[in-house]
Amino acid sequence: RSKFVESDADEELLFNIPFTGNVKLKGIIIMGEDDDSHPSEMRLYKNIPQMSFDDTDREPDQTFSLNRDLTGELEYATKISRFSNVYHLSIHISKNFGADTTKVLYIGLRGEWTELRRHEVTICNYEASANPADHRVHQVTPQTHFIS
């Protein structure tokens, strides 16, 4: 309880969590204090690197109404179909139970990690129409054979 994150100007907090691979996120735990600074609403966004508070206006992938959890035993299950291929997770704490600031003591994530397989950018040139100079054509001369 000696280490925590506390909002500075208002009740909102934003956590950006990059992963070193793809994660199938199955559950999340949020632990706070036993007062009004405990988070009451959490919004999850996936795969938005460098997310800022300006981006929190968009539709979240999942929203949770939180209960007070002082021991870290209450796990919120995520929609696995939406969180099956996550390489970056953003957690937006939008509300608390009425205090001026929000305090988070612990965030726990449960899921499965797999190695990240990103395809490099391939540079391709496509021709709108073929250039005859680029293609060697062997000219075939027709021959006629008569059978007598």
Side-chain angles (χ1 to χ4, degrees):
R1 297 200 178 270
S2 63
K3 295 185 181 186
F4 56 87
V5 175
E6 186 173 13
S7 61
D8 53 0
D10 58 7
E11 60 189 4
E12 290 186 90
L13 282 171
L14 182 64
F15 298 94
N16 283 306
I17 305 168
F19 297 113
T20 58
N22 286 325
V23 173
K24 181 189 289 186
L25 186 64
K26 296 181 178 181
I28 186 166
I29 297 171
I30 297 284
M31 193 171 87
E33 288 285 352
D34 188 19
D35 59 12
D36 289 342
S37 69
H38 192 289
S40 66
E41 184 179 79
M42 170 178 62
R43 303 168 77 192
L44 299 181
Y45 301 86
K46 71 171 188 172
N47 301 337
I48 308 174
Q50 290 95 30
M51 185 172 175
S52 68
F53 283 105
D54 296 334
D55 300 321
T56 59
D57 293 337
R58 68 174 59 189
E59 186 70 24
D61 291 297
Q62 191 167 357
T63 303
F64 294 98
S65 293
L66 304 177
N67 295 316
R68 286 191 169 106
D69 185 11
L70 310 176
T71 58
E73 295 175 354
L74 184 59
E75 181 177 325
Y76 299 94
T78 59
K79 296 176 184 173
I80 295 178
S81 61
R82 286 198 176 175
F83 293 95
S84 63
N85 194 19
V86 180
Y87 59 86
H88 188 277
L89 180 68
S90 298
I91 303 171
H92 177 223
I93 306 294
S94 56
K95 297 178 186 173
N96 62 23
F97 286 98
D100 292 335
T101 61
T102 301
K103 192 182 283 189
V104 174
L105 301 175
Y106 174 80
I107 297 175
L109 304 173
R110 186 176 62 85
E112 298 174 9
W113 179 89
T114 57
E115 187 176 350
L116 185 63
R117 290 188 173 100
R118 288 197 181 179
H119 297 286
E120 297 297 323
V121 176
T122 304
I123 299 173
C124 298
N125 293 324
Y126 295 97
E127 298 176 354
S129 61
N131 183 0
D134 291 341
H135 308 283
R136 294 187 76 190
V137 178
H138 298 288
Q139 185 107 14
V140 177
T141 54
Q143 295 180 356
T144 306
H145 300 284
F146 293 104
I147 300 175
S148 51

